[in-house]
Amino acid sequence: MLKMLICGILLFMFSILMMLLSLYFLLINKLMIFEWLIYTVNSMKFNFFILIDSKSLMFMFLVSMIFSMIIIYSISYMDLSMNYMNRFFYLMILFLMSMYMLILSPSMLSIILGWDGLGLISFCLVIYYMKMKSFTSGMVTIILNRVGDSGLLLMMCFVACFGSWNLMLYKMNEYMMFFLLMMAFTKSAQIPFSTWLPMAMMAPTPVSSLVHSSTLVTAGIYLLIRYTDLLNYEYKSVILFISSLTMLFAGLTANFELDLKKVVAYSTLSQLGFMMSIMSLGFNDLVFLHLFIHAMFKSLMFMCVGSFMHYMNGIQDMRMYYGMYYIYPVKSFILIFTMLSLCGFPFLVGFYSKDLIIEFFFFSKMNYFSVINLIISTMFTVSYSFRMILVLTNKFLLMNMVFKNEDYIMNLSMLIMMIFSMIYSKMMFNLMNFNLLSINLMLIYKFLVFKMIFLGLVLGYNFYKYTLLDSKYGLFYMSFMFMNFIYKKIYLKLIMFMFNYEVFFEKTMIEMFSGKFMILMLNLYNIKVSNLMMNIFLMMIMYMIFLMIYLIMY
């Protein structure tokens, strides 16, 4: 416990240092690149790059500050034995180091260390409780993420043709752009890879607070912010189409979901689609601002939901949380604050980025399909937030069980996060000079934002009345249009294929034709043969087999 507390305090001090350094780099408007030449083969250089500028330092501040608060929060939440606490602590530290590696690397050779580290350690954290359901969710998570990792490996092969793995030196061809988008879509859970994000809620809530706010799911968006200037216009239209669909389906699913933690997961998925959409239109600084602000209040939202679950002995059904506002007022107030920030309520945290993004959407050239998706998705965001607020503030108390007292360590970490998010979001908004912009829209577009909020409130009240009871469409939407079932079936088929391949092919056919089997047979007949002669004999057999295949094919 003392080790986690000291680590949290040191990381908080480190995050303050990163914040001051990022402000200094923003002031002098410079960047630094450190290069370490590891190995050279002809003209191919194996370099280790570290890029330090204001964006990377700001993101390091964000990750460090959220991680420090989550570690302090976990002292009370993860009330486990010392062995389990050590495993949790070391996995989280490794996860943080992988994210640092990803943030500071402009080179594919060093990005792969952080990228694969995030995927592997997230799998270890999803299966942390060691249940069959956790294992299924972890396998779906890592298999879908390996699709993006294969894109990274193939991209490294293409980049090797240029003589350097540093992506900041040249433009991409079409294949490299495709692989970059595959990486970003799998890590940021865009359609059709969206199903792993709600399934990864099997992890402990502090893990969800870190992974699904500022680290794993934002890795793809951070990578595209770095290299968006290298993408063609055609690919940006593809990003806009897929991300707007992701935002629409995630918002619709969140209105039917009864699991409190999964509602927050689907809201994360919706906001990832929202950020991808605005990035496809070219507003990178605005995406970075919303990524920063969203990470702060979304991690706070996960922490509030996790503390409720901690007090309710792990119950996640939203129907059991009626009237929580009257039992835990401080925690409910912080959760309502985060929900209103998600909606973009005026002068709260999310208002500074979300309202500006919607006005930029109306100001940009877009097709009607994406505009309609944006409007409906924004209404769904307001509706599921209002639905959760209605559940918390309802006077009908459903649960009559022994409630625990307020935990002061959890409340302190959440209050620090809340104050920091309110101060730093406004400060970043002013630093990036968005308050100097004047967007001249027609009056109908200005009032359209208020209409969306009003219609979202009406939808939220109707969803609150009808979807908390048994809905005939509930299974369809809660399974994300049956995508969860499809991926589980694919995962089981893949596991069975790997098992059959190992049993019937590797352990039978290959061993029968291997030197081990032949030496065993020769020893049975007392024929002595040296290892060198055996290897020469096997090479001759393999040569004859390849020659026969060649003659048959040609």
Side-chain angles (χ1 to χ4, degrees), residues 468-508:
L468 292 179
L469 303 173
D470 290 331
S471 172
K472 59 182 178 180
Y473 303 111
L475 181 64
F476 176 71
Y477 290 110
M478 286 162 63
S479 62
F480 207 76
M481 281 65 75
F482 297 129
M483 280 175 64
N484 292 359
F485 300 124
I486 293 168
Y487 279 114
K488 282 180 183 177
K489 288 289 183 185
I490 292 172
Y491 136 73
L492 288 172
K493 294 285 185 186
L494 185 63
I495 293 289
M496 288 305 298
F497 171 75
M498 290 164 62
F499 175 76
N500 292 331
Y501 170 78
E502 185 179 3
V503 170
F504 298 112
F505 191 73
E506 284 203 357
K507 291 187 176 178
T508 53

Side-chain angles (χ1 to χ4, degrees), residues 296-359:
M296 282 193 162
F297 71 75
K298 189 52 67 70
S299 60
L300 185 57
M301 192 184 296
F302 269 112
M303 289 161 79
C304 292
V305 169
S307 61
F308 277 128
M309 288 165 48
H310 184 66
Y311 294 155
M312 297 281 285
N313 297 323
I315 297 172
Q316 294 180 216
D317 196 332
M318 190 188 288
R319 292 168 291 191
M320 301 296 177
Y321 285 86
Y322 281 112
M324 282 290 131
Y325 181 79
Y326 303 100
I327 302 169
Y328 299 117
V330 176
K331 232 170 288 296
S332 301
F333 169 73
I334 297 173
L335 185 56
I336 290 171
F337 163 79
T338 57
M339 283 293 170
L340 292 175
S341 300
L342 179 64
C343 298
F345 193 80
F347 308 113
L348 290 183
V349 178
F351 167 74
Y352 299 110
S353 59
K354 196 157 188 180
D355 188 70
L356 197 62
I357 284 175
I358 291 173
E359 291 196 348

Side-chain angles (χ1 to χ4, degrees), residues 31 50 123 163-164 212 219 317 364 412 548:
L31 58 88
I50 291 178
F123 170 71
S164 171
H212 299 109
D317 196 332
S364 304
L412 179 65
M548 286 173 63

Side-chain angles (χ1 to χ4, degrees), residues 5-59:
L5 183 62
I6 293 170
C7 176
I9 294 169
L10 288 175
L11 270 170
F12 185 74
M13 294 167 64
F14 176 72
S15 69
I16 299 296
L17 176 64
M18 290 295 105
M19 180 184 74
L20 296 174
L21 278 174
S22 69
L23 295 177
Y24 174 70
F25 273 80
L26 193 64
L27 178 67
I28 63 174
N29 195 19
K30 287 186 179 179
L31 58 88
M32 297 170 65
I33 296 179
F34 296 95
E35 181 181 358
W36 172 33
L37 182 61
I38 302 171
Y39 189 66
T40 305
V41 179
N42 295 334
S43 62
M44 193 70 201
K45 294 181 179 180
F46 289 76
N47 293 338
F48 184 80
F49 281 96
I50 291 178
L51 172 68
I52 297 176
D53 63 345
S54 59
K55 278 186 179 177
S56 60
L57 288 171
M58 274 185 190
F59 212 69

Side-chain angles (χ1 to χ4, degrees), residues 180-197:
L180 182 68
L181 288 185
M182 188 196 298
M183 292 163 58
F185 280 1
T186 50
K187 241 5 169 214
S188 295
Q190 303 297 300
I191 287 177
F193 309 108
S194 305
T195 186
W196 73 260
L197 196 145

Side-chain angles (χ1 to χ4, degrees), residues 11-184:
L11 270 170
F12 185 74
M13 294 167 64
F14 176 72
S15 69
I16 299 296
L17 176 64
M18 290 295 105
M19 180 184 74
L20 296 174
L21 278 174
S22 69
L23 295 177
Y24 174 70
F25 273 80
L26 193 64
L27 178 67
I28 63 174
N29 195 19
K30 287 186 179 179
L31 58 88
M32 297 170 65
I33 296 179
F34 296 95
E35 181 181 358
W36 172 33
L37 182 61
I38 302 171
Y39 189 66
T40 305
V41 179
N42 295 334
S43 62
M44 193 70 201
K45 294 181 179 180
F46 289 76
N47 293 338
F48 184 80
F49 281 96
I50 291 178
L51 172 68
I52 297 176
D53 63 345
S54 59
K55 278 186 179 177
S56 60
L57 288 171
M58 274 185 190
F59 212 69
M60 282 187 72
F61 151 71
L62 173 73
V63 173
S64 305
M65 199 268 293
I66 291 175
F67 185 84
S68 64
M69 291 298 108
I70 287 170
I71 282 293
I72 295 171
Y73 171 89
S74 302
I75 294 172
S76 290
Y77 186 88
M78 302 294 291
D79 191 12
L80 300 169
S81 63
M82 189 54 66
N83 291 332
Y84 285 104
M85 285 297 279
N86 284 336
R87 181 158 64 93
F88 175 77
F89 177 69
Y90 292 134
L91 280 173
M92 293 286 274
I93 290 291
L94 284 171
F95 198 87
L96 182 70
M97 293 299 112
S98 301
M99 194 63 200
Y100 282 166
M101 183 72 71
L102 183 68
I103 291 168
L104 296 173
S105 301
S107 171
M108 284 286 117
L109 196 64
S110 44
I111 277 176
I112 193 171
L113 299 175
W115 194 268
D116 269 351
L118 287 176
L120 177 63
I121 300 163
S122 66
F123 170 71
C124 297
L125 287 168
V126 169
I127 64 167
Y128 182 82
Y129 286 130
M130 296 186 181
K131 298 176 183 176
M132 194 60 205
K133 203 171 181 182
S134 301
F135 175 72
T136 304
S137 302
M139 285 303 295
V140 171
T141 300
I142 198 166
I143 286 169
L144 286 179
N145 275 286
R146 289 312 289 173
V147 176
D149 297 347
S150 63
L152 175 61
L153 293 170
L154 289 168
M155 190 174 179
M156 286 182 67
C157 298
F158 274 97
V159 172
C161 302
F162 294 98
S164 171
W165 278 292
N166 188 2
L167 276 187
M168 307 188 92
L169 296 179
Y170 39 73
K171 296 198 73 171
M172 299 186 190
N173 56 29
E174 289 188 3
Y175 302 107
M176 292 162 61
M177 282 186 237
F178 175 75
F179 293 137
L180 182 68
L181 288 185
M182 188 196 298
M183 292 163 58

